[in-house]
Amino acid sequence: MTGGDSAVQNDKPNSPTLIQEEVGDVGGTQKVTKLASSVETAGADSQQPAPDPPSAPLIPESQQNGHVNNHHHQNGKEAARAAEDGLAVEEVGKGSPEGTKADKDDQEVIVIQDMGFNIKVVAPGIEPFELQVSSQEMVQEIHQVLMDREDTCHRTCFSLQFEGNVLDNFAELKNIEGLQEGSVLKVVEEPYTVRESRIHMRHVRDLLKSLDPADAYNGMDCSSLSFLNVITEGDIEMKKRKRNDSDSVDCTPPDYVMPGAKDRPILPLQPISKDLKTPQCLKVLTASGWNPPPGNRKMHGDLMYLSVVTAEDKHFHFTASTRGFFVNQSTQEIFNPKPASPKCWAHSLIELLNQISPIFKRNFATLQKRRVNRHPFERIATPFQVYCWTAPQMDHTIDSVRAEDAYTSRLGYEEHIPGQTRDWNEELQTTRELSRKNLPERLLRERAIFKVHSDFVAAATRGAMAVIDGNVMAINPGEEAKMQMFIWNNIFFSLGFDVKDHYKEYGGDYAAYIAPCNDLKGVRAYNGVDIEGLYTLGTVVIDYRGYRVTAQSIIPGILEREQEQSVVYGSIDFGKSVVTNDKYLELLEKTSKPLKILPHKVINDQNEEVQIISSVECKGIVGNDGRYYVLDLLRTFPPDVNFLPMEGEELSEECKVLGFPRKHKHRLACLRQELVDAFAENRYLLFMRHAALQLMSIRQKKATTVEEEQKISKRLVAAAQGLRSPDLPPKEVNDEEENSQTKEEDPTNQSPPTTQPEGEQPSSESKAIETKESRESDVDAASREVINTACRAIGSLSDSEFDVRFNPDVFSPGVTHPNPQGDQFRKQKQLVKDAAAFLVSHQIAGFVKDCIEHSITAIDGQSLCEALHDRGINMRYVGKVADLLSQHKLLEHIHRIAVSEMICRAAKHQFKTYMQGVEMLCLSAAVSHFLNCLLSTFSNPHPQLPEDFGLNMNKKKKNKKRSRHYPIANHVDREWASLSPQDMWSNIKTEVKEYFDFSLTCDSCDSAVETYGLQKTSLLREICIKCGVQVLLREYTFDSKHRATFTEEDIINIFPIVKHVNPKATDAYHFFQSGQVKIQQGFLKEGFELINEALNLFNNVYGAMHPEIAACLRTLARLNYILGDPVEALNNQQKAVLMSERVLGIDHPNTITEYVHLALYCFANQQVSAALRLMYRARYLALVVFGEDHPEMALYDSNIGLILHGVGEIDLSLRFLENALELNKKYHGQRSLKVALNHHLLARAFSCKGDFRAALMHERETYTIYKSQLGEQHEKTKDSSECLKHLTQQAVVLQRTMNEIYKSGSQATIPPLQISPPSASSVLELINIINGIVFLPLSQKDLDRLQQRQQVLGNLAEKQAKDMPAIKEAGDQESSAPKVPEEDDAKATTADVADADDGAAR
């Protein structure tokens, strides 16, 4: 949905956003959701009751008839229906147990009343029909349903009447008096206005284009591609028809999918459906040249004129009047607005076209049937635009609506704020100010934030492209092109160049290019903390045609005054002049601990000490709206000293060994937030370990009571959390005060204070009190010593508490610190160095270790990047990571991906500067030339220059102001055309060395392919995705030495690369985390209910389509399958695949995984043919993305081999199983349990073929591995031994038969061999094992015992979490306890998921 451009039903921040019902089953009769504190922390909450399972969907799929599908708003691209949660809320119980914080540990029990009922709808011209609705819905949602139903979709201008009264569009059904089960709503046609007639025309256009994939290929209106139903040919839709279709299965895979195939074709990436050809209803529907109606015709009700060419090639001119549409007597040359004879009139355009064109009537009916039969997820708009790197050559058709959208601002008739642009800043900030006291309020707030944010991202993207294309006038047109700034649609745009030498000391243009992304990370961090009263700007960073554009919402009043007058906090000159503000200090103090930012002082140009709680670059501006904004957050996190060489500063030995510090292209290199958090958690663990050692030493030196140890531990925990223990007096307090305070605070001291009369000797009781006071004093001293020692050991900034926070300005040039030689400042510097050393010694080493253990499965550059970022490792370290990976033969596949990523990133850096020298006329020629130099074997490619290029070359632009349309150099040169492959690869080698410190041993694409095992198709995909290039869908010949691979006709489009902060659905995320914890503990049913509830909440916030909803659906499908419901598993997984294709991309790594899971569930549902097609698709996508030499391919081949074995295609099966065996041997070792299982699968296949010699050989390998790894008594070893005996018997029988033949000649009769094909259940069992799914056959007694054990573990974990919340996550990382799988479903969980090795072992 294009922000600012799409037709939104209500743009008020608190207005409901339309949300898909079917996805999350929102609605039903009643729902109870319980959000306990354990859910908030995603902790072990085994004692908490799970939410009741959500009720059934509000409208059954069979009745929906498109009800939940893409409800066309005025621009036809808004997503789905609303599950409005202006919910009837009743807080049943709200209270906190004694001694807990009221606002943290409250248990909210929200009862959501949502009554569903049926109403009858009476519309003109059709039979009345029933519609199921919810009391929470609004009238406008029924409007949307009717505009999408097959029989009422042609109406847009109508009202709904109940008992003669027109219903308000924004009224909730529950507020309409008398509306109940069986009530009748009447559809009444209303008079048109110009606006309504244009909306109607747009809606008709959208209906006619509803099956056309052009918008998805062009990256428009949040359309995207999905090919699942093309792949399966609709088999999955036949869920009710359970059948074993193995008899009619066409098992033969395409040649390019077979193991060992060298070709990597691109055409199958976007398979063509048999019914892809949309039936043509009309040739032309466009606004007439006779518009607008003259004054006298306006008086007769004429609103606009349309020109139509029917499929029969007849030309008509229509009049849109207030009463509807009619055919007039005008022609192209003559204006005659009077009605034609015979008179053709209808209220809707569709009805009128049905009257005049029989082909239209027939084809439109066909189109509608196909439209409503499509899966809802194929039609709903995605929240953010997804672009595809390949596209076929599409026919370009006449489309007046598209033309109008392209050349007008689209800021009028379809917006619901008539006559004005959207105030993005006000919308973004107002949504953040919404109340968040309880669950419904938080859902409403997060949904409003997400809706406005997605609209803003779309508007910012469109604006940035307009700026670079030269279609927006600069606000400072007299300045040099690089310094120009722009405002469009209330969004401020600036280019990523160093304006006025602002970043001169930090790396010039390189620093200016990287600063917006650093700023975006800062915005993400402050938004994540979400402090009330502190505001950030809406920020989007767009890379397009080699330029980086930053789009920001505009602070009210900032354009009316100079920057110096606006800034009340921070510095505008990198620390020379610094100002502060008490209100900002108060607000930023709240962010100090979560963001690990140390409050510190700097000295400004007037020699004054100024307190700040951020980097000096962070600016605070109070807008005219009274809000406190922070911006320029590019150095929110500490500098990365490994890339910041400084005189007199020594790094740790481990950093020096790796060649650090290294000079980088800019001096803005910062550590990632994930690294800062991981470092703090690691130091927390060290702190607690040192303290534990100290306590042990105290215990050994002198006997301490349990009470005293508890007191020391209590103070230790308080210090670890950065708090002073309430019962620990300051050092200056005298002994009497200390003793009295200790007595007051110690709950075990029940003795009342006694006063000794004068002259009386102290009794034994008073002596005991003195002794106790003395011991208390010792305890205080011991507490201090334990805390001080632990603090010193881990480098805490405070000696009395755990304090790991960073001064982001500690190494900033130009910033003056009050006492740079002092001990405290030295500690601050050391902490930043320690964090950089931690990244090198701990995080990178940990990443490599995880790769060796196969807990990381990177299959392309993006997944590698995400895996590194999750551990806080910046991509500039990928060269060091690659060097470490190269030392391990088992990690060859990840090393290959790392090298490929460095090459593509270096090429992207070159593409950026290359494209800035290209004018619009030569874009396709320049991009094709770039790709030829990068990928083609042809050594001397020449760009195809336009014919008039030479004319332009000689014309020097005298007026610099004319160049404002090209934010580039002021002359056109052909430097880009002189680029050669040799120059390209020389530059790439240099860039990889300078940027990543990695030495490439190749000087061309061919040598790179040969040296590192890369494939050109994968490189093309990566470079297109990174640079935003879309190429023609055709087969490319990369290895021709006589002609270039690409021509300018192969470059279809250039897309923007958009970076933004994705708002989070916090409650839904916590439910999801808690559900995964439950699954890990073995409580599958409770976990299922929590994740189902998370799905509902995700739908409430994100709408129908989002990657996190896909993750929920995948997990639910997995649980459905394990809990014995394969049909529902198939249903959920189908949605997950469709959603992954739509929101991530058709060849995204997650999409490949989703295909594999869906194939498994298809096989379990006896849809063998569909399962094979899905596995072939997954294998093909994997071949395009990363090639055959990868451990994941072994999993895919094992699946395919097993399914083929199950349907009797033994020879085909053997090819896949043998390939899987070779890959597993290579990446898991000869003695791996995976290899043993592969040998067993091959033994089964060979035995079915009658080749018992080969079967025996493989089964012996299996037995040998099991015996050595598991021991002779293990169940698997015994099973393998039995299998060997059976095979031996079969082999002996066969040999005897053969001997008989030799002896008696051809007269011998051969008894039939006892070879039975495997049963479907045995094949499915093995498929489950290799996919890491193990059904544990536990008795009820075993289950009860397991649950009791998990209960105890859960209670311990909960207690530990309460005592030391900050250590919990770090503890999880350090311990060997299994984690819940999110992306890698093959990791072990207690009850349902096991590693394939373990599965084989069982």
Side-chain angles (χ1 to χ4, degrees):
M1 293 151 287
T2 308
D5 315 324
S6 63
V8 189
Q9 282 299 322
N10 186 359
D11 279 331
K12 295 177 204 167
N14 59 352
S15 66
T17 308
L18 296 181
I19 293 174
Q20 172 77 0
E21 274 175 345
E22 186 213 61
V23 191
D25 300 346
V26 178
T29 53
Q30 189 183 48
K31 217 181 282 172
V32 179
T33 54
K34 183 165 186 174
L35 192 63
S37 57
S38 56
V39 178
E40 289 285 3
T41 57
D45 51 356
S46 49
Q47 288 182 311
Q48 304 291 344
D52 289 350
S55 55
L58 182 58
I59 296 158
E61 241 178 289
S62 58
Q63 295 176 14
Q64 285 171 13
N65 219 10
H67 180 92
V68 297
N69 305 335
N70 184 3
H71 300 304
H72 298 277
H73 287 225
Q74 284 98 355
N75 72 341
K77 290 295 177 185
E78 278 292 337
R81 288 193 76 239
E84 215 298 287
D85 66 332
L87 306 162
V89 176
E90 180 191 346
E91 295 201 24
V92 175
K94 191 167 185 179
S96 57
E98 202 174 338
T100 61
K101 292 182 183 176
D103 54 347
K104 270 268 183 181
D105 295 338
D106 281 356
Q107 292 191 351
E108 295 177 14
V109 182
I110 310 296
V111 177
I112 301 174
Q113 298 286 349
D114 193 1
M115 306 306 292
F117 58 94
N118 290 318
I119 59 170
K120 184 174 277 190
V121 178
V122 179
I126 59 169
E127 290 294 316
F129 58 90
E130 285 201 345
L131 192 66
Q132 189 176 2
V133 294
S134 156
S135 59
Q136 307 301 330
E137 290 184 18
M138 293 194 302
V139 174
Q140 71 163 3
E141 297 171 43
I142 301 177
H143 265 264
Q144 297 307 311
V145 176
L146 297 178
M147 285 169 62
D148 201 62
R149 273 182 67 97
E150 185 180 354
D151 49 3
T152 57
C153 65
H154 57 282
R155 302 183 187 283
T156 59
C157 188
F158 60 90
S159 62
L160 289 171
Q161 295 187 7
F162 175 57
E163 295 179 347
N165 297 317
V166 176
L167 301 182
D168 175 16
N169 265 1
F170 299 108
E172 290 185 356
L173 299 189
K174 66 184 178 189
N175 297 331
I176 298 172
E177 194 175 337
L179 190 67
Q180 58 190 7
E181 179 77 28
S183 292
V184 177
L185 290 190
K186 196 172 179 186
V187 175
V188 179
E189 295 171 343
E190 293 290 338
Y192 284 95
T193 60
V194 173
R195 181 175 177 277
E196 286 292 345
S197 61
R198 294 174 76 175
I199 286 171
H200 184 77
M201 182 181 167
R202 176 179 291 272
H203 179 65
V204 169
R205 177 260 189 188
D206 285 332
L207 289 176
L208 296 176
K209 298 276 184 183
S210 56
L211 297 181
D212 189 352
D215 283 350
Y217 285 120
N218 293 329
M220 291 172 63
D221 289 330
C222 291
S223 296
S224 57
L225 298 167
S226 171
F227 292 104
L228 172 62
N229 288 332
V230 179
I231 302 298
T232 58
E233 298 176 4
D235 272 10
I236 300 180
E237 293 294 340
M238 306 175 192
K239 299 180 186 74
K240 294 178 182 175
R241 201 170 93 192
K242 291 189 178 181
R243 59 182 178 83
N244 190 336
D245 56 357
S246 57
D247 298 335
S248 59
V249 175
D250 177 16
C251 304
T252 312
D255 290 341
Y256 54 81
V257 171
M258 291 297 292
K262 298 298 180 191
D263 290 338
R264 298 286 181 265
I266 296 177
L267 278 171
L269 195 60
Q270 295 172 0
I272 297 172
S273 168
K274 290 173 184 174
D275 59 351
L276 183 68
K277 190 73 176 170
T278 307
Q280 188 184 40
C281 301
L282 275 182
K283 287 190 174 178
V284 177
L285 168 64
T286 183
S288 167
W290 297 115
N291 283 311
N296 65 318
R297 289 310 304 174
K298 282 185 186 176
M299 313 269 281
H300 286 80
D302 290 6
L303 302 173
M304 64 184 293
Y305 304 119
L306 306 177
S307 177
V308 173
V309 181
T310 65
E312 296 90 346
D313 212 22
K314 292 182 180 176
H315 292 249
F316 293 93
H317 284 257
F318 291 175
T319 297
S321 75
T322 52
R323 291 179 55 204
F325 296 83
F326 62 85
V327 180
N328 64 38
Q329 296 180 32
S330 296
T331 64
Q332 290 295 102
E333 294 82 23
I334 300 167
F335 177 63
N336 185 353
K338 292 179 180 176
S341 180
K343 189 172 181 181
C344 291
W345 176 92
H347 188 265
S348 87
L349 202 48
I350 300 289
E351 290 172 331
L352 182 58
L353 288 165
N354 279 340
Q355 292 176 32
I356 65 170
S357 172
I359 294 179
F360 179 89
K361 187 173 185 178
R362 183 176 67 247
N363 287 356
F364 184 74
T366 307
L367 179 76
Q368 287 306 97
K369 281 187 173 58
R370 279 169 51 185
R371 181 178 70 87
V372 297
N373 285 336
R374 292 176 79 196
H375 193 283
F377 285 179
E378 293 181 276
R379 307 165 56 196
I380 298 164
T382 58
F384 304 106
Q385 186 64 58
V386 177
Y387 301 103
C388 188
W389 64 278
T390 58
Q393 193 70 57
M394 303 291 291
D395 293 332
H396 198 58
T397 55
I398 291 179
D399 186 340
S400 63
V401 175
R402 183 188 63 220
E404 184 177 27
D405 288 350
Y407 291 109
T408 63
S409 63
R410 292 211 288 178
L411 299 175
Y413 60 92
E414 65 278 71
E415 282 292 349
H416 283 266
I417 312 173
Q420 67 180 51
T421 57
R422 292 172 72 169
D423 186 341
W424 293 110
N425 189 70
E426 185 61 28
E427 287 191 43
L428 289 164
Q429 312 310 343
T430 306
T431 51
R432 291 201 167 273
E433 289 169 347
L434 292 174
S435 176
R436 42 180 145 169
K437 292 174 187 167
N438 54 40
L439 180 60
E441 285 186 353
R442 286 196 296 274
L443 289 176
L444 191 65
R445 175 178 183 265
E446 287 174 348
R447 187 174 66 188
I449 289 172
F450 183 77
K451 177 71 177 81
V452 172
H453 175 78
S454 60
D455 284 357
F456 177 70
V457 170
T461 305
R462 191 161 176 250
M465 293 169 71
V467 164
I468 298 304
D469 289 339
N471 301 332
V472 180
M473 182 77 176
I475 56 174
N476 54 340
E479 301 276 2
E480 188 190 342
K482 291 183 178 183
M483 297 171 64
Q484 288 178 353
M485 293 168 284
F486 307 83
I487 291 178
W488 179 87
N489 198 358
N490 272 340
I491 304 172
F492 176 79
F493 297 93
S494 56
L495 301 171
F497 296 110
D498 187 13
V499 178
K500 298 180 181 175
D501 291 337
H502 193 61
Y503 292 100
K504 187 175 181 181
E505 294 179 21
Y506 291 87
D509 278 348
Y510 278 110
Y513 186 82
I514 212 71
C517 277
N518 280 7
D519 185 37
L520 194 65
K521 289 171 191 168
V523 172
R524 179 181 289 115
Y526 280 95
N527 283 355
V529 178
D530 208 4
I531 299 298
E532 204 167 328
L534 189 66
Y535 299 89
T536 58
L537 300 182
T539 307
V540 183
V541 178
I542 301 104
D543 291 332
Y544 179 62
R545 283 181 47 198
Y547 298 97
R548 174 155 287 177
V549 184
T550 306
Q552 292 174 307
S553 59
I554 300 170
I555 298 175
I558 192 165
L559 299 173
E560 300 163 12
R561 51 185 190 262
E562 290 295 324
Q563 193 178 34
E564 292 83 356
Q565 300 167 338
S566 303
V567 175
V568 297
Y569 170 89
S571 171
I572 60 168
D573 49 16
F574 286 99
K576 295 181 180 65
S577 58
V578 189
V579 291
T580 192
N581 177 286
D582 291 340
K583 179 65 176 176
Y584 271 103
L585 290 178
E586 178 194 330
L587 290 168
L588 290 170
E589 178 66 44
K590 298 173 186 174
T591 69
S592 171
K593 281 192 177 172
L595 296 182
K596 317 286 188 299
I597 296 174
L598 181 74
H600 57 283
K601 292 183 177 178
V602 296
I603 296 175
N604 65 12
D605 52 357
Q606 295 168 9
N607 218 23
E608 300 166 340
E609 286 191 8
V610 179
Q611 174 87 2
I612 54 174
I613 313 177
S614 64
S615 66
V616 289
E617 293 87 2
C618 172
K619 298 171 187 56
I621 296 178
V622 183
N624 285 359
D625 53 2
R627 295 188 179 105
Y628 287 79
Y629 294 91
V630 285
L631 56 153
D632 288 355
L633 306 171
L634 59 150
R635 292 213 311 185
T636 299
F637 299 107
D640 185 353
V641 291
N642 288 335
F643 289 88
L644 205 63
M646 288 165 294
E647 289 183 19
E649 299 294 344
E650 288 286 317
L651 298 185
S652 64
E653 283 305 314
E654 55 260 45
C655 291
K656 287 181 182 175
V657 167
L658 288 172
F660 295 116
R662 285 189 60 243
K663 188 177 180 185
H664 203 45
K665 291 198 167 189
H666 57 83
R667 296 177 65 85
L668 292 179
C670 293
L671 300 174
R672 293 185 65 85
Q673 186 174 11
E674 298 92 336
L675 190 277
V676 170
D677 292 342
F679 176 73
E681 287 163 6
N682 179 268
R683 286 296 162 110
Y684 196 108
L685 276 177
L686 291 176
F687 178 86
M688 298 307 285
R689 284 175 187 162
H690 278 292
L693 290 170
Q694 291 289 311
L695 285 172
M696 285 172 63
S697 108
I698 290 172
R699 194 178 295 135
Q700 288 165 1
K701 284 180 187 172
K702 53 186 176 183
T704 55
T705 66
V706 175
E707 296 165 11
E708 289 165 355
E709 283 192 20
Q710 283 178 348
K711 180 163 277 194
I712 295 174
S713 298
K714 182 181 171 187
R715 290 170 179 168
L716 175 63
V717 169
Q721 294 173 11
L723 308 167
R724 166 164 277 282
S725 179
D727 61 352
L728 182 60
K731 294 180 183 179
E732 297 76 28
V733 178
N734 61 36
D735 288 346
E736 284 180 35
E737 287 175 344
E738 195 172 69
N739 293 343
S740 65
Q741 185 173 349
T742 305
K743 279 194 279 185
E744 282 173 24
E745 292 291 336
D746 188 355
T748 60
N749 187 1
Q750 301 298 331
S751 306
T754 55
T755 310
Q756 298 291 341
E758 226 177 294
E760 211 173 291
Q761 292 297 322
S763 64
S764 60
E765 190 177 313
S766 66
K767 284 181 182 176
I769 291 170
E770 285 174 12
T771 306
K772 187 165 184 67
E773 288 172 346
S774 162
R775 289 182 71 85
E776 289 287 349
S777 177
D778 290 346
V779 167
D780 291 338
S783 301
R784 281 202 189 93
E785 184 57 32
V786 167
I787 293 167
N788 288 352
T789 308
C791 286
R792 284 195 299 273
I794 61 106
S796 170
L797 297 178
S798 166
D799 287 340
S800 60
E801 62 185 22
F802 175 84
D803 187 7
V804 172
R805 288 180 291 174
F806 297 92
N807 177 349
D809 296 322
V810 74
F811 289 115
S812 297
V815 178
T816 311
H817 301 276
N819 186 7
Q821 304 306 320
D823 186 52
Q824 193 64 19
F825 192 71
R826 183 190 57 75
K827 278 186 182 178
Q828 292 172 16
K829 291 206 290 189
Q830 190 57 44
L831 202 58
V832 173
K833 292 178 186 176
D834 289 350
F838 172 78
L839 190 159
V840 169
S841 61
H842 193 277
Q843 296 300 87
I844 291 180
F847 172 81
V848 174
K849 180 172 174 284
D850 287 346
C851 290
I852 292 170
E853 293 171 355
H854 294 280
S855 56
I856 291 176
T857 312
I859 67 174
D860 71 346
Q862 185 179 351
S863 51
L864 174 68
C865 179
E866 287 169 2
L868 289 170
H869 284 173
D870 285 345
R871 286 155 183 77
I873 304 168
N874 304 79
M875 286 308 288
R876 57 180 169 270
Y877 286 95
V878 77
K880 298 299 179 191
V881 172
D883 287 336
L884 287 174
L885 292 170
S886 65
Q887 298 169 16
H888 302 275
K889 184 70 177 168
L890 292 178
L891 302 182
E892 184 185 310
H893 59 295
I894 301 183
H895 178 261
R896 188 185 312 119
I897 292 167
V899 172
S900 167
E901 184 68 2
M902 285 187 283
I903 289 173
C904 290
R905 283 178 177 256
K908 183 184 80 169
H909 297 167
Q910 196 170 341
F911 183 80
K912 177 191 72 172
T913 50
Y914 173 88
M915 289 300 290
Q916 288 175 9
V918 180
E919 63 169 336
M920 288 282 278
L921 184 70
C922 306
L923 280 179
S924 57
V927 175
S928 61
H929 182 61
F930 183 89
L931 292 177
N932 281 326
C933 291
L934 179 65
L935 298 170
S936 181
T937 301
F938 185 48
S939 58
N940 192 24
H942 291 290
Q944 298 163 296
L945 301 178
E947 291 176 10
D948 59 343
F949 192 89
L951 298 174
N952 291 338
M953 284 289 297
N954 301 323
K955 291 183 181 177
K956 292 186 178 178
K957 295 190 177 180
K958 295 176 183 176
N959 186 355
K960 288 189 177 183
K961 289 186 182 180
R962 284 177 59 196
S963 69
R964 66 173 176 267
H965 298 296
Y966 303 98
I968 275 299
N970 294 323
H971 63 282
V972 177
D973 59 40
R974 56 181 307 172
E975 189 179 336
W976 62 268
S978 61
L979 182 73
S980 69
Q982 295 75 23
D983 296 337
M984 163 81 79
W985 280 90
S986 172
N987 294 341
I988 285 175
K989 281 179 71 173
T990 306
E991 180 73 6
V992 168
K993 182 63 182 172
E994 287 181 4
Y995 203 92
F996 302 108
D997 194 25
F998 183 83
S999 300
L1000 280 178
T1001 56
C1002 57
D1003 51 13
S1004 70
C1005 189
D1006 290 338
S1007 62
V1009 167
E1010 192 174 330
T1011 308
Y1012 299 106
L1014 309 179
Q1015 52 181 30
K1016 291 187 178 181
T1017 306
S1018 301
L1019 287 172
L1020 174 64
R1021 173 184 175 271
E1022 288 283 355
I1023 201 71
C1024 285
I1025 290 171
K1026 282 181 171 51
C1027 297
V1029 173
Q1030 187 182 58
V1031 296
L1032 180 65
L1033 183 70
R1034 72 169 180 90
E1035 303 308 345
Y1036 292 98
T1037 308
F1038 292 102
D1039 300 328
S1040 170
K1041 294 183 178 179
H1042 306 293
R1043 56 180 299 180
T1045 304
F1046 301 91
T1047 69
E1048 61 177 297
E1049 299 303 321
D1050 292 325
I1051 310 304
I1052 299 291
N1053 211 339
I1054 297 182
F1055 289 131
I1057 307 298
V1058 184
K1059 301 179 180 74
H1060 60 95
V1061 180
N1062 209 338
K1064 208 172 186 181
T1066 49
D1067 288 301
Y1069 182 72
H1070 291 148
F1071 266 102
F1072 188 66
Q1073 293 287 87
S1074 300
Q1076 292 204 322
V1077 170
K1078 286 284 191 190
I1079 297 164
Q1080 188 179 4
Q1081 294 171 348
F1083 299 100
L1084 300 188
K1085 195 74 178 169
E1086 292 91 331
F1088 179 84
E1089 288 167 358
L1090 279 166
I1091 287 177
N1092 218 339
E1093 193 58 34
L1095 178 63
N1096 288 330
L1097 299 182
F1098 276 132
N1099 271 283
N1100 268 284
V1101 174
Y1102 295 140
M1105 306 289 281
H1106 196 274
E1108 289 187 27
I1109 297 177
C1112 260
L1113 288 166
R1114 177 177 65 244
T1115 310
L1116 283 177
R1118 192 87 160 179
L1119 287 170
N1120 283 134
Y1121 187 63
I1122 288 153
L1123 294 170
D1125 189 355
V1127 175
E1128 193 56 32
L1130 183 66
N1131 185 27
N1132 278 326
Q1133 187 62 30
Q1134 182 191 11
K1135 294 175 186 174
V1137 174
L1138 285 168
M1139 195 172 298
S1140 187
E1141 284 189 310
R1142 294 287 319 282
V1143 299
L1144 295 173
I1146 57 171
D1147 55 356
H1148 190 275
N1150 284 19
T1151 305
I1152 301 174
T1153 307
E1154 305 291 18
Y1155 265 108
V1156 175
H1157 293 173
L1158 184 60
L1160 166 62
Y1161 305 145
C1162 275
F1163 189 82
N1165 281 282
Q1166 300 177 342
Q1167 295 195 22
V1168 182
S1169 183
L1172 273 172
R1173 283 199 289 268
L1174 290 164
M1175 281 310 309
Y1176 294 154
R1177 173 69 172 175
R1179 192 178 202 277
Y1180 164 70
L1181 291 175
L1183 286 171
V1184 170
V1185 172
F1186 55 78
E1188 197 163 62
D1189 192 7
H1190 194 284
E1192 281 294 291
M1193 194 60 81
L1195 174 67
Y1196 305 158
D1197 284 355
S1198 297
N1199 274 301
I1200 294 171
L1202 267 171
I1203 296 173
L1204 288 169
H1205 184 194
V1207 295
E1209 293 283 347
I1210 306 301
D1211 290 332
L1212 275 175
S1213 170
L1214 284 171
R1215 289 188 64 179
F1216 286 98
L1217 290 174
E1218 284 168 347
N1219 193 56
L1221 175 64
E1222 292 307 312
L1223 287 170
N1224 276 331
K1225 279 182 180 177
K1226 179 174 181 178
Y1227 289 109
H1228 294 276
Q1230 297 278 352
R1231 294 293 164 204
S1232 158
L1233 295 177
K1234 284 184 187 291
V1235 172
L1237 182 57
N1238 266 122
H1239 278 300
H1240 176 64
L1241 298 179
L1242 279 162
R1244 281 167 52 107
F1246 276 117
S1247 69
C1248 285
K1249 195 180 177 185
D1251 188 348
F1252 294 108
R1253 186 184 297 249
L1256 272 169
M1257 183 186 74
H1258 283 292
E1259 194 58 46
R1260 279 197 199 99
E1261 289 288 340
T1262 302
Y1263 177 75
T1264 307
I1265 294 170
Y1266 281 155
K1267 186 179 174 183
S1268 65
Q1269 299 282 14
L1270 306 172
E1272 282 197 42
Q1273 299 307 310
H1274 196 277
E1275 183 188 341
K1276 282 289 174 189
T1277 315
K1278 290 178 181 177
D1279 288 348
S1280 182
S1281 177
E1282 286 297 315
C1283 191
L1284 271 174
K1285 288 177 187 173
H1286 175 71
L1287 287 171
T1288 306
Q1289 289 168 3
Q1290 291 280 355
V1292 168
V1293 169
L1294 181 64
Q1295 192 59 47
R1296 279 180 189 161
T1297 307
M1298 297 303 292
N1299 290 343
E1300 286 292 321
I1301 292 173
Y1302 289 134
K1303 284 180 184 177
S1304 56
S1306 58
Q1307 303 300 317
T1309 57
I1310 304 177
L1313 292 172
Q1314 295 178 356
I1315 299 173
S1316 55
S1319 66
S1321 59
S1322 69
V1323 173
L1324 184 60
E1325 186 182 338
L1326 282 167
I1327 288 178
N1328 288 334
I1329 289 172
I1330 64 171
N1331 285 287
I1333 298 175
V1334 177
F1335 297 91
L1336 299 179
L1338 297 178
S1339 66
Q1340 191 57 45
K1341 191 176 176 184
D1342 292 332
L1343 281 169
D1344 292 343
R1345 196 183 307 124
L1346 178 67
Q1347 291 212 352
Q1348 283 174 6
R1349 180 168 167 273
Q1350 291 295 349
Q1351 196 91 18
V1352 172
L1353 288 173
N1355 292 344
L1356 284 172
E1358 212 166 287
K1359 184 176 183 300
Q1360 189 180 8
K1362 283 179 182 173
D1363 290 344
M1364 294 182 285
I1367 198 176
K1368 190 173 81 63
E1369 283 185 50
D1372 289 343
Q1373 283 184 5
E1374 293 293 323
S1375 73
S1376 58
K1379 297 178 185 175
V1380 181
E1382 287 189 23
E1383 294 306 324
D1384 184 5
D1385 287 305
K1387 290 176 71 176
T1389 65
T1390 312
D1392 64 314
V1393 181
D1395 186 87
D1397 281 355
D1398 301 332
R1402 287 191 185 87

